[in-house]
Amino acid sequence: MNNLKYVNIRHGTKSLMRYSNGNTLPLVQLPWGMAAFAVQTAGDRGNWYFHPEDRSVEGVRLTHQPSPWIGDFGCFTLLPQSCSDNSFFSTADGRWSGYRPEDAVFEPYHLKLNLLRYRTVFELSPTERGAAIRLQNYGNEQTRLSIYPRKGVTEYRIDIKNKRLYGKLHDTKRRAADNFNTYFVMEFSCNIDKEKCRLTSPDNNYVTALSGGGDTFGCSVAFEGSEVLVNMAISYISEAQAEENLRREIGGKSFETVKNEAEKIWEQKLSKIQIETDNDVIKRTFYSCLYRFYLYPNKFHETAADGQTIHFSPETGSVSKGFMYINNGFWDTYRTVYPLLSILEPQQFEEILDGFINIYDDTGWLPKWPSPTEIGIMPGSLIDAVIAQAAAADCCSDDLLERGLKAMLKHAENEPDERCHGRFGIELYKKYGYVPYEDVPESVNATLDYAYGDYCIGVVADKLGKKELAEKYFERSGNYKNIFDEKSGFMRGRDREGRLSPNFVPEAWGGEYCEGSAWQNSFSVTYDIDGMANLYGSKEAYIKKLDELFAAPPIYTTGHYRNEIHEMTEMAAYDFGQCAISNQPSFHLPYLFAALGAPQKTKQWVEKLVLEGFTDKDDGFPGDEDNGTMAAWYIFSCMGFYPMCPGKAEYIIGRQMVDSVTVNGKNISVNNIDKTYISHNELIKKGNEI
């Protein structure tokens, strides 16, 4: 089946800083690719540089931006400029061209734009670390390709004889090593006009030169023909490695060959799940989400000339053997991306996990939000759940689990040297059984995430036969009970003396809570549903509290945030009560009903959320998509089962929103299953026998 035809890569791009319908980019790249490309329509909007309703183009950006809240690095735009000397502009406000978005081709494997000002058709198809590009100039002016970095010191060298451009962009981000660079090489199909090549400064001045550069300097290569094929590759290791990547991934292939290979790769991935439904909106939304699922995390490793897999560590500045992956915020992705990966791509899961654990070997800490260095902006160490899911779903070797367990234990027992690493406040957590609110921001989330991390350590230790160690951490995972307030029915912050935080307002965001209030953050103990129910007195009482949550008006106060954040605005825009499906902490809430013995309530709410919260349009997400997380939630919810607790090899039954589902060639149907959970083993091995 051709599922590519259902994919809208602009899905979720109709977003603004104050209101997100996905906060995505229309990425043209291969699954987990190191190089991604997106149209830049308005760079003055910062990280929101593409909008589907813009009719201008400033270039096609080589991008590594996983989220506008994280930003880009090692990025530059490619822009064909067919113009005379007196009409040449290098600044963004002067060089842009009109285009017709309704006539453009936006596909995962192929981008095609007609730049009206420059009378040039620009086409691009991706490889893992580069792209094949075709320029077709149908005007009378000279054809040229310009490269404009967003920021950073750039050096260029044009090789006239071999028809190549070499470049190095030094664009450090946060904690990056001084020798962290993005190297690139471009090979052209026709001769270069050396008298017309230019180096351009940010203030729109230019010189005719074949080498040089400077801070935010651009380069414009002029050609002697009207049709130019450009093969390019990047590297984080060296110029020679960029050449090696170019040789391996493109070599002498034609543009059409690269395009066809990329198309086949995407079609194979999108065929991992086949659905049947008469609802075209669901089908288009589903496959657009499946495309999103396959974008992240991104490869950061390369293959050396001798065939070894190597990677550059952006924090240490050294080159090491092995895989490396970046651009993932585990606070988001652990919930849905890695459970779905364990079903669809278990071997890839192992490689990705190996890459994450290699970051521990390089830096001494497991990653929390690597892009490309550690961002560390969210609470907890939720990669614990990724490792636990790999263990529970048998996705990796015991040797890899041993390495992972060693790293998990470090941040479960040792106070980090910097707040961006590990579990900040872990010594207080060990002393009090919770994180005091006067010492650590977002203390409720920190306590709950640390307790869940302890459970995940127990899962991995148990898998490896370390029973005594497993029991220690399973017992410690019960610390969530220490912050439960029986009177209000919410998880509350406590001080060192055990006193609850004063002036409690359930609808107040921030403070002890992360990206939400007590409503969104008090029900995340998914590994011990019975234990949570006991805190309420019974399962029926817990269900009643959840009913209150879904029935409550979607009101909020800015609380400790002081200013409104976009997640508040998005929650209030939908009539789902205090279930902020726009953000990850609410993803499991509708499924708690089924876990507590009320499956009809789960079916009712899942159906409402799927049909009213999502569409296939450019504004089709109810909030930030976040590296495949929301996309995978939609995929699970349409298929009819959901990973209630990553680290447990089971999926809770929900509401199947399509007529039939086939996963990796096995027909799956949960509509008539008379049980609460499906095991992972049943799902991947037995298919319709379940």
Side-chain angles (χ1 to χ4, degrees), residues 529-530 539 590-599 602 644 652-653 676-677:
I529 301 294
D530 289 342
K539 289 184 177 180
Y591 290 97
L592 280 174
F593 289 113
L596 293 165
T602 288
M644 172 63 78
I652 197 161
I653 302 297
T676 304
Y677 289 94

Side-chain angles (χ1 to χ4, degrees), residues 666-679:
K666 296 180 175 65
N667 184 262
I668 305 295
S669 180
V670 300
N671 280 335
N672 299 315
I673 295 179
D674 187 23
K675 55 183 179 179
T676 304
Y677 289 94
I678 312 173
S679 74

Side-chain angles (χ1 to χ4, degrees), residues 279-291:
N279 189 321
D280 289 340
V281 172
I282 285 182
K283 181 167 265 191
R284 289 192 296 267
T285 307
F286 187 94
Y287 286 107
S288 297
C289 284
L290 192 55
Y291 148 80

Side-chain angles (χ1 to χ4, degrees), residues 341-342 344-353 394-396:
L341 195 67
S342 71
L344 299 183
E345 304 277 357
Q347 290 182 324
Q348 185 68 35
F349 193 160
E350 183 172 27
E351 178 179 301
I352 289 172
L353 183 56
D394 290 320
C395 288
C396 65

Side-chain angles (χ1 to χ4, degrees), residues 223-265:
F223 303 104
E224 294 181 355
S226 60
E227 180 170 324
V228 185
L229 302 179
V230 185
N231 294 334
M232 68 168 288
I234 66 170
S235 171
Y236 300 117
I237 295 172
S238 67
E239 180 182 286
Q241 184 61 49
E243 289 185 301
E244 178 66 17
N245 294 343
L246 181 66
R247 183 190 69 80
R248 284 180 176 274
E249 297 186 2
I250 301 182
K253 296 175 185 176
S254 68
F255 177 86
E256 291 299 330
T257 298
V258 173
K259 175 185 170 184
N260 291 339
E261 288 178 352
E263 180 180 12
K264 289 178 182 178
I265 289 171

Side-chain angles (χ1 to χ4, degrees), residues 586-600:
S586 291
F587 278 9
H588 68 289
L589 293 178
Y591 290 97
L592 280 174
F593 289 113
L596 293 165
Q600 285 306 122

